[in-house]
Amino acid sequence: MTITVVRPPAVEPVALADLRQFLRLSGTGEDALLSGLLKAARETLETLTGLVLIKQQLRFYIDRWPNDGLIRIDRYPVQSVASVTAYEPDGVPVVLPAAAMHLEAATRPARLHLQSPAHGLGGLEIDVIAGLGETGVDVPDALKHALMTLVAHWYEFRGTHGPTDHPVSLTPAFERVVNLWRRVSL
């Protein structure tokens, strides 16, 4: 399953003013750098945990129709399914009606049940709206602290060491928070 971002979040979970205060920076001269580091830290945390911190639209690409009609969506929380497009063997897209699917959004991973088609359909593109909320207010403080800690680490060690001397790329404080939110399968 491949995942792409169709519509990125409108904001980051941590405001630049809060990040500057955390880093004890008084000026705004490095805001572009801080914005890039914050985005990279959020993407890292989301990839490691499967969480989506701020509302965004994601597209899942699946190579073939699932035998049981069940698709596990590896991002949490899923708010809704925007669309499901299946492809006939000759490549013609077929948009599935809402009545042909049922989303169990409260589970992790979310489960999307699709009614079996009358004829053979192949690959799928599933667009979902996912995220804890629309702003950083909706993101737990521990996750925001982890982001700021990772940004601080990357900010402090940017360009000062060669690749062989560079310290670990993730701080222990960040890894502890990530481990609390990581989904574990048995």
Side-chain angles (χ1 to χ4, degrees):
M1 178 182 312
T2 303
I3 306 169
T4 60
V5 177
V6 175
R7 192 179 68 239
V11 298
E12 291 297 335
V14 176
L16 277 178
D18 294 337
L19 183 57
R20 279 194 305 274
Q21 183 179 7
F22 184 81
L23 295 171
R24 296 185 179 140
L25 297 175
S26 57
T28 60
E30 296 190 88
D31 279 2
L33 171 65
L34 294 176
S35 293
L37 291 174
L38 183 57
K39 179 181 177 189
R42 175 187 48 81
E43 290 172 346
T44 300
L45 188 142
E46 288 177 338
T47 299
L48 291 173
T49 62
L51 294 174
V52 179
L53 301 183
I54 301 291
K55 181 180 171 184
Q56 53 192 284
Q57 185 172 345
L58 304 172
R59 179 168 293 152
F60 294 82
Y61 298 92
I62 301 171
D63 292 336
R64 61 182 170 80
W65 189 275
N67 292 333
D68 57 0
L70 176 65
I71 297 168
R72 288 168 184 80
I73 301 174
D74 294 332
R75 292 295 181 262
Y76 180 83
V78 174
Q79 296 177 6
S80 64
V81 175
S83 68
V84 176
T85 304
Y87 290 88
E88 294 181 354
D90 61 359
V92 175
V94 176
V95 177
L96 299 180
M101 63 187 92
H102 171 71
L103 175 66
E104 292 179 38
T107 61
R108 185 172 180 195
R111 293 186 286 256
L112 179 62
H113 299 272
L114 301 174
Q115 289 181 355
S116 296
H119 57 288
L121 292 175
L124 295 163
E125 290 179 2
I126 302 168
D127 285 10
V128 300
I129 306 299
L132 293 170
E134 305 234 0
T135 67
V137 173
D138 303 310
V139 177
D141 289 339
L143 294 173
K144 291 190 284 192
H145 181 75
L147 290 174
M148 291 189 294
T149 301
L150 185 57
V151 168
H153 176 72
W154 287 346
Y155 179 81
E156 180 162 341
F157 290 104
R158 69 193 184 286
T160 59
H161 298 282
T164 57
D165 300 326
H166 201 281
V168 294
S169 62
L170 300 177
T171 65
F174 178 81
E175 288 181 333
R176 280 192 300 274
V177 172
V178 164
N179 287 335
L180 292 173
W181 289 86
R182 194 183 310 257
R183 189 175 88 69
V184 179
S185 298
L186 298 178

